[in-house]
Amino acid sequence: MAVAVGGRNYHSLVVESRRIRSKSKILRNISTIPFFKKGISRCRPSLINRSCVLSMAAREQSRSLIVESSKQERVPVFVMMPLDSLGIDTSGSPRIRKMKALSISLKALKLAGVHGIGVEVWWGIVERASPFVYEWSIYEVLFKLISELGLNLHVSLSFHSDIRLTSQGREGVSLPMWIQKIGTFNRDIYYHDQSGVSNNDYLTLGVDELPLFCGRTALQCYEDFIISFLEKFDSMMGSVIEELSIGLGPAGELRYPAHPHGDGRWRFPGIGEFQCYDKYMMEDLRVAACQEGRPQWGKKGPLNAGCYNSFPSGIPFFEGGEESFLSDYGHFFLEWYSGKLIKHADAILAKAAMLLKKYQESEKNHVLLVAKVGAIYWWYETLSHAAELTAGYYNTALRDGYDPLATMLFRHGCALHISCLEMMDSETPPTYLCSPEGLVQQLRNAARRRTVDLTGRNYNERFDKVGLGQIQANCYHPQEDVIRSFTYFRMGGNIFKAENWSNFVPFVRNMSPRE
């Protein structure tokens, strides 16, 4: 007997998704056979005209058009600073590591034609010791060095932590010490998974409007930081600092930490877990459920959604049935979960756009406001898009989850930053139904509909001609607007190896404006 979900027969949804797929215009040089298993669509290609994937022949034709078009219009290339270039010394003071080597590297990048440098400005460094005490000296020195070499800046205001396990122990930048102190007494300021394990990479959305931080809400902490930054570097805005990215979550991306790296809980291609179990998020869920007239929905998150390393097949929430993602309950929960994320970004970007208004309206000193989204490309070609759902993107084969996000960005004149421009479907494991190209195309479509600018970067370090060529193909897509800028991740020892440098320099010179 077929199960009715959300007032509709599940079989009818499957038939509808097949019908939509049959109308998709897909360019592939391989045959695809759709089939369904336990209610989950396991199909290549993906649905609803999202995966406009170029065949090898079409890709080569596209690149020939790119070479011609790039003669008229070029994409500025930024190179992101190494993760370990800034840190805290044994005395507790911030410092720039290996200053002489950094200076030599910057000069080499300038000679290669690189337009600018990407720099993460860490909350955990600047406001490290005490609230309202901002220590900008390390960035004043760094920005002066970069500008004197004739390089521009893409600045990422980073409200997350970046702690890595190395052979020397735990290294990287944490959240401010005074935030951590509050967290030792109240672990609920951080995200929690269904097992009650917290993640201290970023403050939970549940505290956005609660004055738990020395009288300030989390949103006020972020706003005060942005104000202090703009006051300190006003003279560089628009002339040296051309792009300002506002951190919105883990790794600076607008998402939940559903796929935590480095602590052993998650590994690719697990679907991840919903991150809504701190007491503040659960209270918000309870209120939302009562307003919906279904108070029972506010007592818990989905209990049948698997664990970090589950595959979507066989997991009830990501298939058809009662309380699945297709049910009335599933729709309510995912609307709330993704809506909290968009509301969070909306609040921060509204403040940032207001503060940047004089720069955004200036032709001479224009500053591009940027928001980053995660590249959750695995299980993209299933009906549920499970890994995206746990990350906070209510994007399925039957619903465009990136259009509401693009609509919000448009309101604030904010560009959308895509982070997997070097990736190709053919290089991903077919078993995991990945489609980075389909994801990129869907984001492009959403941005085009809402007239939102695009910027981008690479997900993995690539120096081979194929990977760099894919970046160029995505930046100069023949049927799309040229991407505003590209940021290469990252500067480091590998970039200067002879075999890599010989590919990287021509790539930059084909992409960047001639200085």
Side-chain angles (χ1 to χ4, degrees):
M1 181 176 177
V3 178
V5 287
R8 302 176 67 183
N9 184 281
Y10 181 71
H11 178 70
S12 71
L13 291 174
V14 171
V15 171
E16 180 182 349
S17 69
R18 280 177 168 164
R19 178 182 59 77
I20 294 169
R21 179 183 285 101
S22 69
K23 294 182 179 180
S24 299
K25 296 179 180 179
I26 307 296
L27 297 175
R28 280 232 180 175
N29 59 348
I30 57 173
S31 62
T32 58
I33 303 175
F35 64 96
F36 292 79
K37 182 178 180 181
K38 293 185 180 180
I40 287 290
S41 165
R42 298 174 56 83
C43 309
R44 304 181 71 95
S46 57
L47 305 180
I48 317 180
N49 282 327
R50 291 180 184 166
S51 188
C52 299
V53 181
L54 298 175
S55 67
M56 290 302 291
R59 187 178 285 120
E60 289 306 313
Q61 182 180 2
S62 167
R63 285 177 182 157
S64 68
L65 293 171
I66 288 162
V67 171
E68 184 63 31
S69 67
S70 67
K71 294 177 182 177
Q72 285 79 39
E73 192 170 7
R74 293 171 179 264
V75 175
V77 174
F78 294 83
V79 176
M80 185 61 74
M81 290 275 289
L83 269 174
D84 62 353
S85 57
L86 303 176
I88 307 296
D89 64 21
T90 53
S91 69
S93 301
R95 67 183 180 91
I96 302 173
R97 297 190 175 104
K98 302 176 182 177
M99 187 69 165
K100 184 176 180 180
L102 176 62
S103 180
I104 293 170
S105 298
L106 293 173
K107 290 175 183 177
L109 292 172
K110 174 63 179 177
L111 290 173
V114 166
H115 179 73
I117 303 300
V119 176
E120 285 136 332
V121 173
W122 297 97
W123 187 25
I125 287 179
V126 176
E127 199 180 359
R128 179 174 184 266
S130 303
F132 299 106
V133 178
Y134 303 100
E135 175 53 69
W136 294 108
S137 59
I138 188 174
Y139 289 105
E140 290 179 285
V141 172
L142 181 60
F143 289 2
K144 184 173 184 289
L145 171 65
I146 290 169
S147 64
E148 286 179 347
L149 291 172
L151 292 161
N152 296 90
L153 279 163
H154 170 114
V155 172
S156 297
L157 301 186
S158 301
F159 299 110
H160 62 284
S161 69
D162 177 57
I163 298 296
R164 306 174 303 280
L165 293 176
T166 70
S167 56
Q168 282 76 41
R170 289 166 59 86
E171 295 185 351
V173 180
S174 65
L175 293 180
M177 293 173 62
W178 58 276
I179 291 284
Q180 294 181 66
K181 186 175 181 180
I182 294 170
T184 59
F185 297 101
N186 182 6
R187 296 298 296 173
D188 285 285
I189 67 171
Y190 305 125
Y191 288 112
H192 283 61
D193 62 22
Q194 62 186 343
S195 301
V197 179
S198 62
N199 185 313
N200 58 2
D201 282 349
Y202 192 80
L203 296 177
T204 171
L205 306 187
V207 299
D208 272 0
E209 298 176 354
L210 298 178
L212 302 176
F213 307 100
C214 302
R216 289 185 293 173
T217 68
L219 290 177
Q220 288 170 336
C221 290
Y222 306 143
E223 181 184 1
D224 289 343
F225 189 88
I226 297 170
I227 290 171
S228 180
F229 172 82
L230 293 177
E231 289 175 348
K232 175 59 66 175
F233 297 105
D234 176 72
S235 64
M236 289 187 166
M237 297 301 294
S239 55
V240 177
I241 300 171
E242 295 184 341
E243 298 183 358
L244 185 65
S245 171
I246 307 297
L248 299 170
E253 298 171 343
L254 180 60
R255 61 178 174 84
Y256 292 95
H259 312 95
H261 291 273
D263 64 4
R265 284 183 291 166
W266 174 84
R267 61 183 179 274
F268 178 85
I271 60 175
E273 291 189 12
F274 292 109
Q275 304 289 311
C276 60
Y277 293 92
D278 62 86
K279 67 182 182 183
Y280 303 113
M281 288 286 280
M282 290 305 296
E283 173 61 17
D284 194 278
L285 177 61
R286 186 193 67 79
V287 171
C290 289
Q291 291 173 344
E292 190 73 13
R294 299 290 189 94
Q296 69 274 19
W297 287 351
K299 296 179 180 179
K300 55 181 173 49
L303 296 179
N304 54 359
C307 59
Y308 284 109
N309 296 308
S310 297
F311 287 10
S313 180
I315 302 300
F317 187 76
F318 301 111
E319 296 191 335
E322 294 182 6
E323 294 196 356
S324 78
F325 79 101
L326 290 168
S327 68
D328 289 340
Y329 164 75
H331 176 71
F332 159 78
F333 175 79
L334 293 171
E335 280 278 11
W336 170 80
Y337 189 68
S338 63
K340 287 288 291 182
L341 207 59
I342 291 177
K343 181 183 177 184
H344 172 73
D346 194 26
I348 297 175
L349 294 176
K351 295 291 187 182
M354 180 185 68
L355 295 168
L356 286 172
K357 188 174 181 180
K358 70 174 182 178
Y359 308 112
Q360 289 182 301
E361 292 179 347
S362 169
E363 291 186 9
K364 183 179 179 181
N365 293 318
H366 181 80
V367 176
L368 183 66
L369 180 62
V370 179
K372 299 175 182 177
V373 296
I376 313 298
Y377 61 87
W378 54 103
W379 306 118
Y380 183 87
E381 293 188 342
T382 63
L383 190 64
S384 65
H385 292 229
E388 290 167 88
L389 295 185
T390 58
Y393 306 123
Y394 188 4
N395 188 56
T396 72
L398 303 174
R399 183 185 190 277
D400 188 344
Y402 297 106
D403 188 70
L405 194 156
T407 300
M408 179 270 297
L409 295 181
F410 168 75
R411 288 200 299 271
H412 307 303
C414 186
L416 173 63
H417 186 87
I418 304 174
S419 58
C420 58
L421 294 185
E422 89 291 359
M423 298 187 74
M424 290 177 273
D425 288 9
S426 59
E427 296 180 337
T428 62
T431 306
Y432 308 141
L433 300 173
C434 306
S435 185
E437 291 180 275
L439 175 61
V440 168
Q441 188 58 47
Q442 186 181 358
L443 291 168
R444 279 188 182 278
N445 292 343
R448 183 178 62 251
R449 282 193 303 271
R450 304 302 174 188
T451 60
V452 169
D453 284 325
L454 290 175
T455 67
R457 71 170 178 91
N458 50 306
Y459 190 91
N460 300 302
E461 188 178 74
R462 295 286 294 266
F463 297 106
D464 60 291
K465 291 181 179 179
V466 173
L468 295 175
Q470 177 70 356
I471 293 170
Q472 194 172 352
N474 273 319
C475 289
Y476 293 104
H477 194 290
Q479 279 115 16
E480 304 283 355
D481 290 337
V482 172
I483 282 182
R484 283 285 298 267
S485 69
F486 174 77
T487 301
Y488 186 86
F489 268 54
R490 306 181 168 255
M491 187 195 313
N494 289 335
I495 200 171
F496 298 109
K497 290 180 179 178
E499 63 272 23
N500 296 335
W501 190 247
S502 64
N503 288 335
F504 185 72
V505 172
F507 160 75
V508 170
R509 291 178 177 170
N510 284 335
M511 291 268 287
S512 304
R514 288 186 172 87
E515 302 295 342

